[in-house]
Amino acid sequence: MDSLLPSGADVHTYELSASNVADVAQADIIFLNGLDLEEQVGEIARTNANGPVIELTEGLPVIDGNPHLWLDAKLAVGYVERIRDELTNIDPDGRTVYEANATEYLEELATLDLEMELAILTIPAEDRRLVTFHDAYVYLAERYGLEVVAVVAPSPGQEPSARDISDLSDAIEGVPAVFKEPQFNADVLELVAEEQGVPVFDLLSDAYVDGVGTYIQLMRFNMNQLVEGLGGD
Ligand SMILES: [Zn+2]
């Protein structure tokens, strides 16, 4: 299995290289998140693929067209089941292996989901408020009882306006922490947070960083940052 994007790339705006396009044409199957998360990548995949192109969010409950469903570990279950079923479709001989691997991973997801839920419950209810860089956390917030109060960038690849910055400054007054994301320039958020005396933590969404190279590590990283930033224990 190969990933089309390099680690740390912004999936919303990433453009595929010529060698990526060759990989697309040779792949037996391509999995996309869908909902236009990978705008340019998705289009190239659909045009050049020889095998099936599967959108993993298809059939899952979508909020306002937002593509970041995997940040709710319960919704990630839907991705895993779909991957298992689609791999079995193109390679029926592998069924036993796909089923065993999926079952094992689904158990890990159930543990992760419970761990996230319990960890976030340790944050005082009035502090379960999220200010993040881009609008990636609606599903996480919905599942684990947080409220998204503001995002810095209205849409990925777009710089915040003076008006956005002033709204942001109002929104972060009194929140325990704000969260930047490593794949985006955080200058604006850091500046506004400093003015308000609010500490800045990291959250991961669409990209891995050094030391965090799997989905489960990404979710645990977020859990720890949320608990630390918002005053849980
Ligand atoms: Zn995103």
Side-chain angles (χ1 to χ4, degrees), residues 10-12 37 66-68 70 134-136 156 181 183-184 205-206:
D10 174 15
V11 63
H12 294 277
L37 175 77
N66 192 305
H68 305 86
W70 68 90
H134 87 303
D135 195 12
E181 295 165 66
Q183 79 271 33
F184 297 110
S205 52
D206 313 344

Side-chain angles (χ1 to χ4, degrees), residues 14-156:
Y14 186 75
E15 301 201 358
L16 289 180
S17 66
S19 78
N20 285 153
V21 177
D23 291 341
V24 165
Q26 281 167 13
D28 295 318
I29 187 164
I30 294 173
F31 293 105
L32 297 172
N33 180 77
L35 296 169
D36 274 339
L37 175 77
E38 336 61 354
E39 251 187 79
Q40 193 262 6
V41 178
E43 206 180 303
I44 300 273
R46 279 181 281 267
T47 318
N48 294 279
N50 287 311
V53 178
I54 308 298
E55 298 207 359
L56 293 170
T57 51
E58 203 180 71
L60 297 180
V62 173
I63 303 172
D64 296 332
N66 192 305
H68 305 86
L69 282 76
W70 68 90
L71 293 170
D72 167 351
K74 267 211 156 53
L75 292 176
V77 167
Y79 287 58
V80 175
E81 291 173 339
R82 185 79 191 278
I83 292 169
R84 175 198 63 201
D85 295 346
E86 296 295 344
L87 289 175
T88 306
N89 277 342
I90 61 160
D91 175 26
D93 291 347
R95 174 187 292 273
T96 328
V97 174
Y98 302 137
E99 277 181 1
N101 289 347
T103 303
E104 192 183 323
Y105 194 69
L106 290 172
E107 279 170 22
E108 287 182 50
L109 285 188
T111 306
L112 171 75
D113 181 57
L114 183 62
E115 222 178 286
M116 293 277 292
E117 186 180 337
L118 295 176
I120 289 168
L121 276 174
T122 68
I123 300 166
E126 67 276 16
D127 290 333
R128 288 178 209 150
R129 288 181 293 163
L130 274 183
V131 175
T132 65
F133 192 86
H134 87 303
D135 195 12
Y137 300 93
V138 286
Y139 300 95
L140 183 145
E142 173 82 13
R143 168 68 190 100
Y144 303 108
L146 296 148
E147 184 196 354
V148 178
V149 293
V151 294
V152 180
S155 66

